Amino acid sequence: GFHLYNKLPSVVPESCLLIFVGLIMGGIIYGLNDRSPPVMDSDIFFLYLLPPIVLDAGYFMPSRPFFENIGTILLYAVVGTIWNVFGIGFSLYGICQVKSFQLQDVSLLHNLLFGSLIAAVDPVAVLAVFEEIHVNERLHILVFGESLLNDAVTVVLYKLFRSFCEMPAVKSVDVVAGVGKFFVVGLGGVLVGLAFGLTAAFTTRFTKDIRVIEPLFVFLYSYLSYLTAEMFHLSGIVAIIACAMGMKRYVEANISLKSHTTVKYFMKMWSSVSDTLIFIFLGVSTIGENHEWNWPYICFTVIFCLLWRALGVLVLTFFVNRFHVNTITGKDQFIIAYGGLRGAICFSLVFLLPDFHRKKLFIAATTVVILFTVFIQGMTIRPLVDLLAVKRKRESAPTVGEQIHIRFLDHLLAGIEDISGHWGQYYWKDKLEYFNSKYLQKLLLREHDQPKSSIVLLYEKLERKHAIQLAEAGQLGHAPSHPALLNNRAVITDRKVEDALTPDVLDNIQEILARNLYRTRRTGPAYNRHTLPGDTEPGEHAEEILILRHRGL
Amino acid sequence: SVLSSPPHQLSSPPTVTSEQIERLHRRFKQLSRDQLTIRKENFDSIPDLEFNPIRGKIVHAFFDKRNLRQESEGLADEINFEDFLTIMSYFRPIEMNMDEEQLDRFRKEKLKFLFHMYDSDHDGKITLQEYRNVVEELLSGNPHLEKESARSIADGAMMEAASICVGQMGPDQVYEGITFEDFLKMWQGIDIETKMHVRFLTMETIAHCY
């Protein structure tokens, strides 16, 4: 119903509406039973609801912009989150000192603990909101990448402060151990993820005869990587992302087209379901008697969240812009700061806190912050994006020419770096590609598989699309002399690299593709359908492209 | 002479800092084996360049007189340090305080360099054959790829270019090749000013060559 009414998504993001529905449901349950409705169990959230969303995000993450901006993303995720945690923690402690608020029993450690769970930006909320506003790719990837990677920091700090709360005394050794733990958690997560990802890729190498269960491996290994990482107290989110990104390339080359479609749709379906459930539960859990409404604390929490985020973004961006040619503009910075939405992760973490006398205060504050960010920031971000005229996403279809140019530029810059003796990002990227093609691909891809360049992949994808469109429009199939072509057409859509292409089959495909190429790309007026043989061999005219009407006319 | 001290002033205004010039000078000396000029063969001594599929075009670009801002056409046999710097300056990063006109010129300069790389016969147009050549070179890393496929891809890309640049074409119109203006149109979506640069600023190590 939400999507049928066109105007609504542009004003209210879906997440808001879901929370609203949850609130209503919670209210109904409360009214009927006169006790608190079931609170979302943290276990359910972390084990079942969160992984599909993160997997979806990681699998479909555009790797090129992600790695181009990885330095900035890591800076925001790690340093930014730490800044936020300590900033919020200390300022709230300062507020607690004020006598009139009756908050003196909330210790510094408690405040820091609270800070650690409230400071982190939530990927689910960010995804839900940013998907609808279509900002430029770089901005999107910065906010989104940050929200995914800050999990490592959040996990470490949360667990650290929690254990500090239970320890009688905190020594500096413990703090140093905490810092070391961060590296272990982050890097460990990545390693676990990559290990599972490569195993998944390796497994799919042998699945040629059992196509039906191929999609299973994708989900299985990703979920295993998440569970394994969580089991060892490493960052599960980072693991699942590393797994998805690591295996994507090889798995997509190995599995059949149908399996690929299955994977895509299942992933999207599961993540949508999870998403919906999370927000509804959030709404339901809000109603009830779990809260202690100490309004000064809550208001200051909201204020400090916004304040420290804005400051953090400003300071960090200042440093980033010193080192980068492609500066992050003021408008982008505003959107990054404003898009720091909190969501269900904070909510679950606060419920996981050990029971102490002020827990309900924290629950109340968390709830208000989440509702504030999702409703107010979520709803106003779109008009603000329009108002500030933030650079939007380029809505153009991918073209083969563009892909060619980008690859050309890649190789050119790698070459120039080699010549000038500078080991820059293109140099390392080149080296990685080399390592990949020499060793990894031999290990992980199927025997007769030829690794394909992105140009070829895009071309094939576009041509397949055109072929399908034409087949549906009924325009194919007037070629008089090749009944076998009809057969091949159906096979084109299935054929990826399973069977070795014999020369004459390849010829037929090329012929169809070449013919369709001329047909569909031409924007001229309609012409006679019966093709002429001359069209399919542009090679005859070496020096010029001749765009002709048919000889029949 | 060029060897004893790096030149601190250059006639043409590529704005590369003097520290970068120092480093490039050291690199130039390495490549030229302490000679005054470099020839094409000197580029063979860079090991990493061997695996680059468009190696030929890159080396060619260094000797292309159009890139060296010389009036004549064709290829130079050897280049000195000043020419080397001129080519390197095409890859300098964008500056903060450029105005619209400077930015436009900056962008056009880089695109012109690229255009010269595509247009190997120097006739000012990228013809179908030249485009095919580019695609074949790019895809030469896949030994199993059929030559036909590379050709089809190039044909497809040329068609796209034709539709971008000329739009609807009449029945007997001939699309001869991509001119520089058309080339500019094709690159409109890609922000080349920020992509096409090499970060000289943090050159920690200078890679060795044989």
Side-chain angles (χ1 to χ4, degrees):
Chain A
F2 177 69
H3 282 284
L4 286 177
Y5 184 46
N6 274 345
K7 278 216 172 151
L8 206 51
S10 59
V11 174
V12 180
E14 198 167 326
S15 44
C16 295
L17 219 64
L18 287 171
I19 294 187
F20 199 60
V21 168
L23 281 173
I24 295 179
M25 273 174 63
I28 293 175
I29 297 178
Y30 189 60
L32 289 178
N33 291 351
D34 206 25
R35 61 183 165 84
S36 305
V39 161
M40 174 161 64
D41 192 4
S42 294
D43 271 345
I44 295 182
F45 174 70
F46 279 114
L47 287 180
Y48 304 120
L49 292 179
L50 186 62
I53 298 179
V54 183
L55 176 62
D56 181 38
Y59 199 78
F60 293 107
M61 174 96 77
S63 51
R64 213 193 154 82
F66 183 71
F67 285 112
E68 274 176 14
N69 291 304
I70 190 82
T72 319
I73 291 178
L74 279 175
L75 193 68
Y76 281 136
V78 177
V79 179
T81 310
I82 295 180
W83 167 284
N84 276 328
V85 167
F86 283 102
I88 295 177
F90 278 111
S91 20
L92 280 175
Y93 181 61
I95 293 296
C96 289
Q97 301 305 91
V98 175
K99 286 199 172 46
S100 53
F101 293 149
Q102 298 156 351
L103 289 167
Q104 258 131 350
D105 50 336
V106 187
S107 69
L108 176 63
L109 267 179
H110 284 135
N111 277 310
L112 283 173
L113 181 58
F114 180 62
S116 74
L117 63 91
I118 199 82
V121 178
D122 187 81
V124 179
V126 165
L127 193 61
V129 167
F130 269 73
E131 239 176 18
E132 291 161 15
I133 58 177
H134 299 301
V135 289
N136 67 70
E137 196 178 48
R138 186 173 191 227
L139 184 56
H140 183 118
I141 206 88
L142 280 177
V143 182
F144 190 53
E146 180 203 342
S147 68
L148 284 174
L149 294 183
N150 65 20
D151 180 59
V153 182
T154 309
V155 160
V156 170
L157 286 175
Y158 178 78
K159 295 204 167 121
L160 196 69
F161 287 129
R162 208 166 116 174
S163 53
F164 281 178
C165 279
E166 287 154 20
M167 277 164 45
V170 178
K171 299 188 279 283
S172 52
V173 166
D174 301 317
V175 178
V176 172
V179 171
K181 195 165 179 223
F182 157 68
F183 284 105
V184 170
V185 163
L187 291 174
V190 171
L191 285 175
V192 166
L194 280 179
F196 275 101
L198 293 177
T199 317
F202 190 66
T203 316
T204 53
R205 183 179 167 182
F206 302 108
T207 55
K208 188 167 170 183
D209 299 319
I210 36 169
R211 289 284 183 198
V212 191
I213 62 170
E214 270 174 348
L216 178 66
F217 289 118
V218 173
F219 295 111
L220 186 71
Y221 279 104
S222 322
Y223 195 51
L224 275 178
S225 72
Y226 181 78
L227 289 178
T228 312
E230 287 291 327
M231 190 168 74
F232 288 114
H233 296 287
L234 304 171
S235 166
I237 292 184
V238 172
I240 213 176
I241 292 172
C243 179
M245 292 183 89
M247 77 173 162
K248 178 170 180 183
R249 204 178 188 179
Y250 306 104
V251 160
E252 294 213 328
N254 280 340
I255 65 180
S256 71
L257 196 59
K258 284 187 183 149
S259 301
H260 177 69
T261 313
T262 312
V263 165
K264 192 164 98 165
Y265 278 102
F266 258 92
M267 237 182 239
K268 292 282 177 199
M269 183 184 84
W270 261 325
S271 70
S272 295
V273 169
S274 285
D275 200 44
T276 312
L277 281 176
I278 288 178
F279 282 114
I280 291 186
F281 265 123
L282 207 57
V284 169
S285 309
T286 309
I287 310 285
E289 281 154 15
N290 288 319
H291 308 286
E292 182 194 325
W293 301 99
N294 184 320
W295 287 105
Y297 192 77
I298 294 175
C299 290
F300 274 107
T301 309
V302 175
I303 294 174
F304 284 135
C305 279
L306 289 172
L307 189 68
W308 283 103
R309 175 142 182 99
L311 277 177
V313 170
L314 267 172
V315 171
L316 286 176
T317 316
F318 176 71
F319 280 113
V320 167
N321 283 342
R322 295 268 303 271
F323 292 109
H324 266 257
V325 166
N326 207 355
T327 57
I328 302 178
T329 65
K331 292 182 204 168
D332 285 351
Q333 287 176 41
F334 178 75
I335 297 294
I336 295 176
Y338 203 67
L341 303 174
R342 274 60 169 186
I345 293 187
C346 321
F347 199 66
S348 313
L349 284 177
V350 86
F351 274 102
L352 278 176
L353 281 177
D355 272 318
F356 64 103
H357 62 288
R358 282 294 188 163
K359 183 172 168 181
K360 292 194 174 176
L361 172 65
F362 287 162
I363 294 178
T366 313
T367 312
V368 173
V369 168
I370 295 176
L371 289 179
F372 180 85
T373 57
V374 174
F375 275 99
I376 298 190
Q377 285 179 236
M379 285 209 282
T380 55
I381 203 168
R382 198 203 189 110
L384 277 172
V385 162
D386 287 333
L387 192 71
L388 293 174
V390 173
K391 195 163 148 209
R392 304 297 275 263
K393 190 157 87 170
R394 246 178 4 115
E395 298 287 358
S396 55
T399 58
V400 179
E402 216 175 81
Q403 204 43 241
I404 292 177
H405 295 319
I406 291 178
R407 297 317 247 138
F408 191 84
L409 207 52
D410 270 349
H411 288 301
L412 172 63
L413 288 168
I416 294 288
E417 282 190 352
D418 289 333
I419 293 175
S420 66
H422 174 218
W423 287 354
Q425 56 166 326
Y426 288 97
Y427 176 82
W428 290 115
K429 198 160 99 156
D430 217 35
K431 280 270 168 268
L432 193 64
E433 275 302 317
Y434 179 67
F435 170 69
N436 177 45
S437 55
K438 262 232 140 159
Y439 304 111
L440 285 181
Q441 275 175 344
K442 293 218 170 69
L443 187 62
L444 299 173
L445 289 183
R446 241 176 250 150
E447 285 295 323
H448 301 291
D449 250 337
Q450 286 86 49
K452 291 192 168 177
S453 153
S454 60
I455 299 176
V456 179
L457 285 173
L458 181 64
Y459 176 74
E460 282 182 355
K461 185 167 131 182
L462 289 176
E463 285 311 300
R464 207 179 294 129
K465 215 164 72 167
H466 286 305
I468 293 175
Q469 280 173 1
L470 282 183
E472 283 173 357
Q475 280 191 35
L476 289 176
H478 286 278
S481 54
H482 293 273
L485 286 181
L486 280 167
N487 226 3
N488 281 339
R489 218 166 298 117
V491 178
I492 285 175
T493 54
D494 273 351
R495 190 192 302 282
K496 235 196 162 194
V497 281
E498 285 112 87
D499 330 291
L501 296 171
T502 62
D504 49 84
V505 169
L506 189 59
D507 268 343
N508 287 338
I509 294 178
Q510 294 294 349
E511 201 172 22
I512 297 174
L513 290 182
R515 192 174 337 126
N516 297 340
L517 193 51
Y518 279 105
R519 231 27 108 102
T520 56
R521 298 269 164 75
R522 218 175 312 197
T523 51
Y527 48 85
N528 192 321
R529 245 180 224 190
H530 302 293
T531 52
L532 71 151
D535 256 4
T536 60
E537 270 310 335
E540 312 295 306
H541 317 279
E543 290 304 317
E544 5 159 272
I545 283 189
L546 212 59
I547 300 183
L548 289 171
R549 285 200 180 218
H550 298 270
R551 285 186 210 141
L553 285 177
Chain B
S1 82
V2 177
L3 286 180
S4 50
S5 61
H8 293 286
Q9 273 177 357
L10 290 172
S11 44
S12 49
T15 47
V16 189
T17 71
S18 59
E19 195 188 293
Q20 295 165 357
I21 297 179
E22 282 266 1
R23 288 185 154 145
L24 285 172
H25 188 238
R26 257 180 278 149
R27 182 64 173 172
F28 184 84
K29 272 200 283 190
Q30 248 185 347
L31 286 174
S32 69
R33 294 166 220 269
D34 287 332
Q35 301 292 313
L36 281 171
T37 58
I38 295 186
R39 296 172 168 277
K40 277 200 179 173
E41 298 77 53
N42 293 98
F43 284 96
D44 293 337
S45 58
I46 305 174
D48 299 314
L49 204 56
E50 266 177 62
F51 302 110
N52 199 313
I54 55 169
R55 186 182 171 282
K57 288 197 154 42
I58 297 177
V59 174
H60 185 108
F62 272 81
F63 294 89
D64 190 336
K65 282 196 183 159
R66 295 174 296 176
N67 292 336
L68 297 172
R69 301 170 203 263
Q70 293 171 9
E71 293 311 319
S72 49
E73 292 279 315
L75 283 182
D77 285 327
E78 48 186 21
I79 53 172
N80 59 21
F81 181 61
E82 194 176 323
D83 299 323
F84 186 72
L85 268 190
T86 312
I87 302 289
M88 282 297 178
S89 71
Y90 283 101
F91 295 93
R92 70 190 187 281
I94 196 173
E95 273 148 46
M96 306 297 163
N97 47 5
M98 283 184 162
D99 60 24
E100 278 296 321
E101 194 201 308
Q102 278 178 320
L103 266 177
D104 192 49
R105 215 179 13 187
F106 192 68
R107 188 186 160 85
K108 281 216 172 86
E109 236 179 51
K110 295 191 185 236
L111 283 175
K112 200 110 183 95
F113 186 83
L114 278 175
F115 186 74
H116 290 157
M117 287 184 80
Y118 277 70
D119 177 24
S120 34
D121 63 1
H122 304 214
D123 64 354
K125 280 201 285 274
I126 304 174
T127 58
L128 178 63
Q129 196 48 51
E130 285 168 346
Y131 210 166
R132 278 188 188 159
N133 182 264
V134 169
V135 175
E136 272 165 19
E137 276 194 6
L138 276 179
L139 297 177
S140 60
N142 308 13
H144 305 280
L145 194 70
E146 300 272 341
K147 209 154 186 283
E148 293 295 317
S149 318
R151 263 177 47 169
S152 318
I153 293 172
D155 295 345
M158 197 67 174
M159 294 278 321
E160 280 171 6
S163 65
I164 293 175
C165 309
V166 186
Q168 288 196 6
M169 294 189 53
D172 289 311
Q173 242 181 313
V174 166
Y175 184 61
E176 294 199 354
I178 307 176
T179 62
F180 186 56
E181 282 69 40
D182 296 339
F183 195 68
L184 285 177
K185 272 192 234 172
M186 282 163 66
W187 281 81
Q188 243 169 18
I190 310 174
D191 54 344
I192 190 133
E193 309 91 343
T194 47
K195 279 203 157 67
M196 185 166 152
H197 76 276
V198 175
R199 270 184 240 165
F200 292 155
L201 298 172
T202 53
M203 267 168 79
E204 305 291 354
T205 41
I206 297 188
H208 291 292
C209 53
Y210 298 125

